[in-house]
């Protein structure tokens, strides 16, 4: 059974409380021992003094009235009696007539002379001291625990803020910064120059550097695509003037491929800029998917398990499905099946599935990467089709997931955003 996770806040607070309790316990034991030694030692001293006086009076045969001394008292503890009969002196706490007393005993002419002093007040004083020590320890532990919890809360809040900003950066929000959020949040601006602040500053530095590099890459991609577009248009027009034949077909085929790559790069640069907006309208999902698949010109099976009307951008959804179907035919194996399921109570779902080797592990973990298709057995390409599908899905609010079917083959699932039913 998995143990429940304990937050850093409570770990620090419990550690501080445990240490404070241990310190309070050690100090309490030391104080109790010192006070008890002094108090009990004083009673022992007085009892021995009474015993000495009683022995002197007994030796001279003088009355011992008022000295609280007795010869062979029956209430004398047995261990102290044996010690006295062996010729030694000693003291011990016991009882006399039902009251706690301090006994002192010594041999006296073949008998045992014992003297006693009341011990009840001394015992009550020690009990009151123990209560005071325990109460002080509990109060001190509570105060220290609250202080530790407050400190741990501040530390964990700042670490949580840093982790939240890191997750936002991972999700694509490259403008997120710990310093900016700390200034805007409660208690911001008082972080200080400690280790947590150093981690936050390092994360901000990494985010800034990453943002600069990505923006430079996006600008380079957009600039290259724009620069290529004009000469490609001229070259395509010039190629049409070539005489008919196989060379002309090969040249036009390569030029069209280069033009498609240029258009893909321009589309990616627009998606990266974050300025794209969907032009929504109501469409029958089944008919929309069938039209998108037919437009690819590839032999693909379309299954409509349950149809509905959705609000989406037809051009963008066509682009997504077209890229997924082309990718399935290019890198997978037939049959390629597109399934539409809009069962009641569930968000509309589109599944594109082939029966090839499946998606590589790296793509499943990190998503598609442009200019990278290194999966064995999945052919070659520039890796922009799936990247564009992901970007257009983000514009439409579609949850796009890449998985592999249990019985083999790549499977892409698109979950359209749920909304109120739309009348056809």
């Amino acid at each position: 059974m998995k143990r429940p996770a304990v937050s850093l806040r409570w770990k620090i607070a419990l550690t501080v409380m445990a240490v404070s309790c241990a310190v309070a316990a050690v100090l309490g034991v030391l104080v109790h021992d010192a006070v008890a030694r002094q108090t009990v030692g004083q009673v022992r001293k007085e009892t021995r003094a009474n015993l000495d006086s009683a022995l002197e009076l007994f030796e001279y045969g003088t009355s011992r009235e008022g000295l609280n001394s007795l010869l062979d008292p029956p209430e004398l503890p047995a261990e102290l009696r044996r010690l006295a009969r062996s010729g030694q002196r000693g003291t011990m706490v016991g009882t006399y007539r039902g009251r706690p007393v301090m006994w002192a005993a010594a041999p006296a002419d073949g008998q045992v002379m014992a003297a006693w002093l009341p011990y009840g007040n001394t015992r009550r004083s020690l009990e009151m001291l123990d209560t005071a020590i325990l109460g002080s320890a509990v109060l001190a532990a509570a105060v220290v625990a609250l202080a530790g919890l407050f400190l741990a809360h501040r530390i964990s809040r700042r670490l949580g803020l840093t982790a939240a900003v890191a997750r936002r950066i991972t999700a694509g929000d490259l403008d997120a910064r710990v310093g900016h959020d700390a200034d805007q949040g409660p208690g911001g601006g008082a972080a200080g120059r400690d280790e947590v602040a150093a981690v936050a500053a390092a994360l901000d530095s990494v985010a800034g550097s990453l943002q600069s590099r990505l923006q430079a890459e996006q600008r380079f991609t957009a600039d290259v695509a724009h620069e290529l577009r004009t000469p490609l248009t001229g070259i395509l027009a010039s190629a049409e003037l070539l005489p008919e034949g196989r060379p002309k077909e090969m040249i036009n085929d390569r030029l069209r491929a280069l033009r498609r790559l240029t258009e893909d790069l321009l589309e990616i640069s627009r998606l990266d800029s974050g300025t794209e907006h969907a032009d929504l309208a109501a469409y029958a999902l089944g008919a929309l998917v069938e039209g998108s698949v037919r437009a690819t010109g590839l032999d693909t099976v379309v299954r409509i398990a349950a149809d509905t009307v959705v609000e989406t951008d037809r051009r963008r959804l066509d682009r997504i499905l077209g890229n997924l179907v082309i990718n399935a035919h290019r890198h997978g194996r037939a049959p390629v099946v597109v399934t539409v399921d809009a069962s009641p109570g569930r968000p509309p779902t589109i599944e594109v599935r082939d029966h090839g080797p499946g998606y590589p592990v790296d793509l499943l973990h990190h998503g598609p990467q442009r200019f990278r298709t290194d999966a064995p057995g999945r052919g070659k390409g520039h890796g922009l089709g799936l990247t564009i599908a992901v970007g257009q899905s983000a514009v439409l609010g579609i949850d796009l997931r890449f998985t592999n079917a249990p019985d083999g083959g790549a499977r892409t699932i698109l979950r359209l955003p749920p909304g109120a039913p739309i009348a056809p």
Side-chain angles (χ1 to χ4, degrees), residues 194-223:
D194 54 11
E195 288 78 3
V196 179
V199 172
L203 179 62
D204 286 347
S205 176
V206 170
S209 176
L210 178 62
Q211 184 179 32
S212 299
R213 294 191 180 189
L214 287 179
Q215 289 175 346
E217 177 186 341
Q218 292 168 6
R219 286 194 300 269
F220 175 77
T221 302
D223 292 343

PDB file of all heavy atoms in Angstrom, residues 194-223:
ATOM      1  N   ASP A 194      17.866  34.205  -0.366  1.00  0.00           N
ATOM      2  CA  ASP A 194      18.206  32.907   0.184  1.00  0.00           C
ATOM      3  C   ASP A 194      18.227  31.882  -0.940  1.00  0.00           C
ATOM      4  O   ASP A 194      18.173  32.224  -2.121  1.00  0.00           O
ATOM      5  CB  ASP A 194      17.225  32.516   1.292  1.00  0.00           C
ATOM      6  CG  ASP A 194      15.777  32.577   0.804  1.00  0.00           C
ATOM      7  OD1 ASP A 194      15.572  32.707  -0.419  1.00  0.00           O
ATOM      8  OD2 ASP A 194      14.867  32.508   1.647  1.00  0.00           O
ATOM      9  N   GLU A 195      18.290  30.580  -0.557  1.00  0.00           N
ATOM     10  CA  GLU A 195      18.419  29.534  -1.562  1.00  0.00           C
ATOM     11  C   GLU A 195      17.178  29.440  -2.443  1.00  0.00           C
ATOM     12  O   GLU A 195      17.276  29.163  -3.642  1.00  0.00           O
ATOM     13  CB  GLU A 195      18.670  28.184  -0.867  1.00  0.00           C
ATOM     14  CG  GLU A 195      20.048  28.033  -0.251  1.00  0.00           C
ATOM     15  CD  GLU A 195      20.170  28.764   1.091  1.00  0.00           C
ATOM     16  OE1 GLU A 195      19.158  29.333   1.540  1.00  0.00           O
ATOM     17  OE2 GLU A 195      21.270  28.758   1.678  1.00  0.00           O
ATOM     18  N   VAL A 196      15.984  29.638  -1.836  1.00  0.00           N
ATOM     19  CA  VAL A 196      14.765  29.585  -2.635  1.00  0.00           C
ATOM     20  C   VAL A 196      14.747  30.704  -3.670  1.00  0.00           C
ATOM     21  O   VAL A 196      14.362  30.504  -4.829  1.00  0.00           O
ATOM     22  CB  VAL A 196      13.531  29.670  -1.718  1.00  0.00           C
ATOM     23  CG1 VAL A 196      12.243  29.628  -2.545  1.00  0.00           C
ATOM     24  CG2 VAL A 196      13.534  28.531  -0.703  1.00  0.00           C
ATOM     25  N   ALA A 197      15.170  31.898  -3.258  1.00  0.00           N
ATOM     26  CA  ALA A 197      15.241  33.012  -4.207  1.00  0.00           C
ATOM     27  C   ALA A 197      16.260  32.721  -5.309  1.00  0.00           C
ATOM     28  O   ALA A 197      16.056  33.105  -6.468  1.00  0.00           O
ATOM     29  CB  ALA A 197      15.606  34.300  -3.471  1.00  0.00           C
ATOM     30  N   ALA A 198      17.344  32.041  -4.961  1.00  0.00           N
ATOM     31  CA  ALA A 198      18.347  31.692  -5.978  1.00  0.00           C
ATOM     32  C   ALA A 198      17.770  30.719  -7.000  1.00  0.00           C
ATOM     33  O   ALA A 198      18.015  30.846  -8.205  1.00  0.00           O
ATOM     34  CB  ALA A 198      19.586  31.100  -5.304  1.00  0.00           C
ATOM     35  N   VAL A 199      16.984  29.734  -6.510  1.00  0.00           N
ATOM     36  CA  VAL A 199      16.347  28.791  -7.444  1.00  0.00           C
ATOM     37  C   VAL A 199      15.370  29.527  -8.358  1.00  0.00           C
ATOM     38  O   VAL A 199      15.312  29.283  -9.570  1.00  0.00           O
ATOM     39  CB  VAL A 199      15.631  27.681  -6.644  1.00  0.00           C
ATOM     40  CG1 VAL A 199      14.797  26.808  -7.577  1.00  0.00           C
ATOM     41  CG2 VAL A 199      16.636  26.826  -5.898  1.00  0.00           C
ATOM     42  N   ALA A 200      14.584  30.453  -7.778  1.00  0.00           N
ATOM     43  CA  ALA A 200      13.623  31.212  -8.581  1.00  0.00           C
ATOM     44  C   ALA A 200      14.341  32.061  -9.627  1.00  0.00           C
ATOM     45  O   ALA A 200      13.913  32.132 -10.788  1.00  0.00           O
ATOM     46  CB  ALA A 200      12.770  32.093  -7.672  1.00  0.00           C
ATOM     47  N   ALA A 201      15.430  32.707  -9.230  1.00  0.00           N
ATOM     48  CA  ALA A 201      16.182  33.533 -10.179  1.00  0.00           C
ATOM     49  C   ALA A 201      16.774  32.671 -11.297  1.00  0.00           C
ATOM     50  O   ALA A 201      16.787  33.074 -12.470  1.00  0.00           O
ATOM     51  CB  ALA A 201      17.279  34.297  -9.443  1.00  0.00           C
ATOM     52  N   ALA A 202      17.256  31.471 -10.931  1.00  0.00           N
ATOM     53  CA  ALA A 202      17.814  30.579 -11.957  1.00  0.00           C
ATOM     54  C   ALA A 202      16.733  30.134 -12.933  1.00  0.00           C
ATOM     55  O   ALA A 202      16.963  30.073 -14.156  1.00  0.00           O
ATOM     56  CB  ALA A 202      18.461  29.364 -11.293  1.00  0.00           C
ATOM     57  N   LEU A 203      15.518  29.829 -12.413  1.00  0.00           N
ATOM     58  CA  LEU A 203      14.425  29.436 -13.298  1.00  0.00           C
ATOM     59  C   LEU A 203      14.036  30.577 -14.223  1.00  0.00           C
ATOM     60  O   LEU A 203      13.793  30.369 -15.422  1.00  0.00           O
ATOM     61  CB  LEU A 203      13.223  28.995 -12.468  1.00  0.00           C
ATOM     62  CG  LEU A 203      11.977  28.581 -13.261  1.00  0.00           C
ATOM     63  CD1 LEU A 203      12.278  27.386 -14.144  1.00  0.00           C
ATOM     64  CD2 LEU A 203      10.818  28.264 -12.320  1.00  0.00           C
ATOM     65  N   ASP A 204      13.966  31.806 -13.690  1.00  0.00           N
ATOM     66  CA  ASP A 204      13.651  32.960 -14.532  1.00  0.00           C
ATOM     67  C   ASP A 204      14.710  33.146 -15.629  1.00  0.00           C
ATOM     68  O   ASP A 204      14.387  33.475 -16.778  1.00  0.00           O
ATOM     69  CB  ASP A 204      13.559  34.228 -13.682  1.00  0.00           C
ATOM     70  CG  ASP A 204      12.294  34.266 -12.852  1.00  0.00           C
ATOM     71  OD1 ASP A 204      11.387  33.447 -13.118  1.00  0.00           O
ATOM     72  OD2 ASP A 204      12.213  35.101 -11.932  1.00  0.00           O
ATOM     73  N   SER A 205      15.978  32.945 -15.254  1.00  0.00           N
ATOM     74  CA  SER A 205      17.049  33.083 -16.233  1.00  0.00           C
ATOM     75  C   SER A 205      16.933  32.036 -17.338  1.00  0.00           C
ATOM     76  O   SER A 205      17.083  32.339 -18.526  1.00  0.00           O
ATOM     77  CB  SER A 205      18.408  32.978 -15.530  1.00  0.00           C
ATOM     78  OG  SER A 205      19.460  33.024 -16.466  1.00  0.00           O
ATOM     79  N   VAL A 206      16.642  30.787 -16.942  1.00  0.00           N
ATOM     80  CA  VAL A 206      16.482  29.719 -17.933  1.00  0.00           C
ATOM     81  C   VAL A 206      15.290  30.014 -18.844  1.00  0.00           C
ATOM     82  O   VAL A 206      15.365  29.845 -20.067  1.00  0.00           O
ATOM     83  CB  VAL A 206      16.308  28.359 -17.226  1.00  0.00           C
ATOM     84  CG1 VAL A 206      15.899  27.285 -18.214  1.00  0.00           C
ATOM     85  CG2 VAL A 206      17.601  27.956 -16.530  1.00  0.00           C
ATOM     86  N   ALA A 207      14.165  30.476 -18.239  1.00  0.00           N
ATOM     87  CA  ALA A 207      12.981  30.782 -19.042  1.00  0.00           C
ATOM     88  C   ALA A 207      13.259  31.911 -20.026  1.00  0.00           C
ATOM     89  O   ALA A 207      12.832  31.857 -21.191  1.00  0.00           O
ATOM     90  CB  ALA A 207      11.809  31.152 -18.128  1.00  0.00           C
ATOM     91  N   GLY A 208      13.968  32.948 -19.568  1.00  0.00           N
ATOM     92  CA  GLY A 208      14.296  34.050 -20.458  1.00  0.00           C
ATOM     93  C   GLY A 208      15.182  33.616 -21.612  1.00  0.00           C
ATOM     94  O   GLY A 208      14.961  34.007 -22.767  1.00  0.00           O
ATOM     95  N   SER A 209      16.198  32.793 -21.281  1.00  0.00           N
ATOM     96  CA  SER A 209      17.086  32.305 -22.337  1.00  0.00           C
ATOM     97  C   SER A 209      16.342  31.418 -23.317  1.00  0.00           C
ATOM     98  O   SER A 209      16.513  31.529 -24.543  1.00  0.00           O
ATOM     99  CB  SER A 209      18.250  31.535 -21.704  1.00  0.00           C
ATOM    100  OG  SER A 209      19.085  30.972 -22.685  1.00  0.00           O
ATOM    101  N   LEU A 210      15.471  30.537 -22.794  1.00  0.00           N
ATOM    102  CA  LEU A 210      14.696  29.654 -23.673  1.00  0.00           C
ATOM    103  C   LEU A 210      13.754  30.462 -24.559  1.00  0.00           C
ATOM    104  O   LEU A 210      13.621  30.177 -25.756  1.00  0.00           O
ATOM    105  CB  LEU A 210      13.903  28.664 -22.821  1.00  0.00           C
ATOM    106  CG  LEU A 210      12.997  27.678 -23.559  1.00  0.00           C
ATOM    107  CD1 LEU A 210      13.814  26.776 -24.463  1.00  0.00           C
ATOM    108  CD2 LEU A 210      12.194  26.844 -22.562  1.00  0.00           C
ATOM    109  N   GLN A 211      13.115  31.470 -23.974  1.00  0.00           N
ATOM    110  CA  GLN A 211      12.202  32.296 -24.758  1.00  0.00           C
ATOM    111  C   GLN A 211      12.941  33.019 -25.881  1.00  0.00           C
ATOM    112  O   GLN A 211      12.459  33.086 -27.020  1.00  0.00           O
ATOM    113  CB  GLN A 211      11.490  33.299 -23.851  1.00  0.00           C
ATOM    114  CG  GLN A 211      10.446  34.139 -24.564  1.00  0.00           C
ATOM    115  CD  GLN A 211       9.747  35.092 -23.626  1.00  0.00           C
ATOM    116  OE1 GLN A 211      10.353  35.558 -22.667  1.00  0.00           O
ATOM    117  NE2 GLN A 211       8.489  35.390 -23.889  1.00  0.00           N
ATOM    118  N   SER A 212      14.113  33.541 -25.577  1.00  0.00           N
ATOM    119  CA  SER A 212      14.881  34.253 -26.591  1.00  0.00           C
ATOM    120  C   SER A 212      15.275  33.323 -27.733  1.00  0.00           C
ATOM    121  O   SER A 212      15.169  33.687 -28.917  1.00  0.00           O
ATOM    122  CB  SER A 212      16.132  34.872 -25.961  1.00  0.00           C
ATOM    123  OG  SER A 212      15.775  35.808 -24.954  1.00  0.00           O
ATOM    124  N   ARG A 213      15.703  32.119 -27.379  1.00  0.00           N
ATOM    125  CA  ARG A 213      16.124  31.186 -28.433  1.00  0.00           C
ATOM    126  C   ARG A 213      14.944  30.741 -29.286  1.00  0.00           C
ATOM    127  O   ARG A 213      15.058  30.638 -30.518  1.00  0.00           O
ATOM    128  CB  ARG A 213      16.806  29.977 -27.792  1.00  0.00           C
ATOM    129  CG  ARG A 213      18.115  30.322 -27.113  1.00  0.00           C
ATOM    130  CD  ARG A 213      18.891  29.086 -26.738  1.00  0.00           C
ATOM    131  NE  ARG A 213      20.152  29.425 -26.089  1.00  0.00           N
ATOM    132  CZ  ARG A 213      21.095  28.536 -25.816  1.00  0.00           C
ATOM    133  NH1 ARG A 213      20.928  27.267 -26.134  1.00  0.00           N
ATOM    134  NH2 ARG A 213      22.213  28.914 -25.226  1.00  0.00           N
ATOM    135  N   LEU A 214      13.800  30.455 -28.641  1.00  0.00           N
ATOM    136  CA  LEU A 214      12.636  30.018 -29.402  1.00  0.00           C
ATOM    137  C   LEU A 214      12.125  31.135 -30.308  1.00  0.00           C
ATOM    138  O   LEU A 214      11.723  30.885 -31.444  1.00  0.00           O
ATOM    139  CB  LEU A 214      11.537  29.555 -28.442  1.00  0.00           C
ATOM    140  CG  LEU A 214      11.776  28.215 -27.747  1.00  0.00           C
ATOM    141  CD1 LEU A 214      10.627  27.891 -26.806  1.00  0.00           C
ATOM    142  CD2 LEU A 214      11.948  27.093 -28.752  1.00  0.00           C
ATOM    143  N   GLN A 215      12.110  32.361 -29.788  1.00  0.00           N
ATOM    144  CA  GLN A 215      11.669  33.475 -30.622  1.00  0.00           C
ATOM    145  C   GLN A 215      12.605  33.681 -31.803  1.00  0.00           C
ATOM    146  O   GLN A 215      12.155  33.973 -32.928  1.00  0.00           O
ATOM    147  CB  GLN A 215      11.569  34.747 -29.775  1.00  0.00           C
ATOM    148  CG  GLN A 215      10.411  34.732 -28.794  1.00  0.00           C
ATOM    149  CD  GLN A 215      10.405  35.947 -27.896  1.00  0.00           C
ATOM    150  OE1 GLN A 215      11.393  36.688 -27.821  1.00  0.00           O
ATOM    151  NE2 GLN A 215       9.296  36.170 -27.200  1.00  0.00           N
ATOM    152  N   ALA A 216      13.912  33.520 -31.555  1.00  0.00           N
ATOM    153  CA  ALA A 216      14.859  33.643 -32.663  1.00  0.00           C
ATOM    154  C   ALA A 216      14.632  32.539 -33.697  1.00  0.00           C
ATOM    155  O   ALA A 216      14.669  32.788 -34.913  1.00  0.00           O
ATOM    156  CB  ALA A 216      16.287  33.578 -32.126  1.00  0.00           C
ATOM    157  N   GLU A 217      14.337  31.312 -33.207  1.00  0.00           N
ATOM    158  CA  GLU A 217      14.071  30.204 -34.132  1.00  0.00           C
ATOM    159  C   GLU A 217      12.791  30.459 -34.925  1.00  0.00           C
ATOM    160  O   GLU A 217      12.746  30.205 -36.141  1.00  0.00           O
ATOM    161  CB  GLU A 217      13.948  28.900 -33.341  1.00  0.00           C
ATOM    162  CG  GLU A 217      13.597  27.691 -34.209  1.00  0.00           C
ATOM    163  CD  GLU A 217      13.348  26.455 -33.375  1.00  0.00           C
ATOM    164  OE1 GLU A 217      13.777  26.428 -32.203  1.00  0.00           O
ATOM    165  OE2 GLU A 217      12.719  25.522 -33.901  1.00  0.00           O
ATOM    166  N   GLN A 218      11.754  30.977 -34.240  1.00  0.00           N
ATOM    167  CA  GLN A 218      10.496  31.263 -34.942  1.00  0.00           C
ATOM    168  C   GLN A 218      10.678  32.352 -35.993  1.00  0.00           C
ATOM    169  O   GLN A 218      10.146  32.252 -37.108  1.00  0.00           O
ATOM    170  CB  GLN A 218       9.428  31.665 -33.921  1.00  0.00           C
ATOM    171  CG  GLN A 218       8.998  30.538 -32.999  1.00  0.00           C
ATOM    172  CD  GLN A 218       8.164  31.034 -31.833  1.00  0.00           C
ATOM    173  OE1 GLN A 218       7.819  32.215 -31.769  1.00  0.00           O
ATOM    174  NE2 GLN A 218       7.843  30.144 -30.900  1.00  0.00           N
ATOM    175  N   ARG A 219      11.411  33.395 -35.637  1.00  0.00           N
ATOM    176  CA  ARG A 219      11.658  34.457 -36.612  1.00  0.00           C
ATOM    177  C   ARG A 219      12.450  33.934 -37.805  1.00  0.00           C
ATOM    178  O   ARG A 219      12.166  34.279 -38.959  1.00  0.00           O
ATOM    179  CB  ARG A 219      12.412  35.615 -35.941  1.00  0.00           C
ATOM    180  CG  ARG A 219      11.556  36.461 -35.009  1.00  0.00           C
ATOM    181  CD  ARG A 219      12.267  37.753 -34.654  1.00  0.00           C
ATOM    182  NE  ARG A 219      13.541  37.508 -33.984  1.00  0.00           N
ATOM    183  CZ  ARG A 219      13.678  37.417 -32.656  1.00  0.00           C
ATOM    184  NH1 ARG A 219      12.611  37.549 -31.874  1.00  0.00           N
ATOM    185  NH2 ARG A 219      14.861  37.199 -32.119  1.00  0.00           N
ATOM    186  N   PHE A 220      13.442  33.076 -37.514  1.00  0.00           N
ATOM    187  CA  PHE A 220      14.246  32.522 -38.607  1.00  0.00           C
ATOM    188  C   PHE A 220      13.377  31.670 -39.528  1.00  0.00           C
ATOM    189  O   PHE A 220      13.460  31.780 -40.768  1.00  0.00           O
ATOM    190  CB  PHE A 220      15.384  31.681 -38.032  1.00  0.00           C
ATOM    191  CG  PHE A 220      16.192  30.963 -39.072  1.00  0.00           C
ATOM    192  CD1 PHE A 220      17.132  31.639 -39.839  1.00  0.00           C
ATOM    193  CD2 PHE A 220      16.000  29.608 -39.298  1.00  0.00           C
ATOM    194  CE1 PHE A 220      17.866  30.971 -40.811  1.00  0.00           C
ATOM    195  CE2 PHE A 220      16.734  28.937 -40.268  1.00  0.00           C
ATOM    196  CZ  PHE A 220      17.670  29.628 -41.016  1.00  0.00           C
ATOM    197  N   THR A 221      12.511  30.823 -38.929  1.00  0.00           N
ATOM    198  CA  THR A 221      11.641  29.970 -39.742  1.00  0.00           C
ATOM    199  C   THR A 221      10.702  30.802 -40.611  1.00  0.00           C
ATOM    200  O   THR A 221      10.526  30.538 -41.810  1.00  0.00           O
ATOM    201  CB  THR A 221      10.825  29.038 -38.829  1.00  0.00           C
ATOM    202  OG1 THR A 221      11.715  28.255 -38.025  1.00  0.00           O
ATOM    203  CG2 THR A 221       9.946  28.110 -39.641  1.00  0.00           C
ATOM    204  N   ALA A 222      10.081  31.823 -39.981  1.00  0.00           N
ATOM    205  CA  ALA A 222       9.151  32.670 -40.743  1.00  0.00           C
ATOM    206  C   ALA A 222       9.871  33.423 -41.845  1.00  0.00           C
ATOM    207  O   ALA A 222       9.368  33.527 -42.987  1.00  0.00           O
ATOM    208  CB  ALA A 222       8.453  33.640 -39.796  1.00  0.00           C
ATOM    209  N   ASP A 223      11.056  33.954 -41.546  1.00  0.00           N
ATOM    210  CA  ASP A 223      11.803  34.714 -42.548  1.00  0.00           C
ATOM    211  C   ASP A 223      12.215  33.837 -43.718  1.00  0.00           C
ATOM    212  O   ASP A 223      12.089  34.236 -44.897  1.00  0.00           O
ATOM    213  CB  ASP A 223      13.031  35.358 -41.911  1.00  0.00           C
ATOM    214  CG  ASP A 223      12.656  36.445 -40.918  1.00  0.00           C
ATOM    215  OD1 ASP A 223      11.503  36.911 -40.965  1.00  0.00           O
ATOM    216  OD2 ASP A 223      13.515  36.821 -40.083  1.00  0.00           O
TER     217      ASP A 223
END
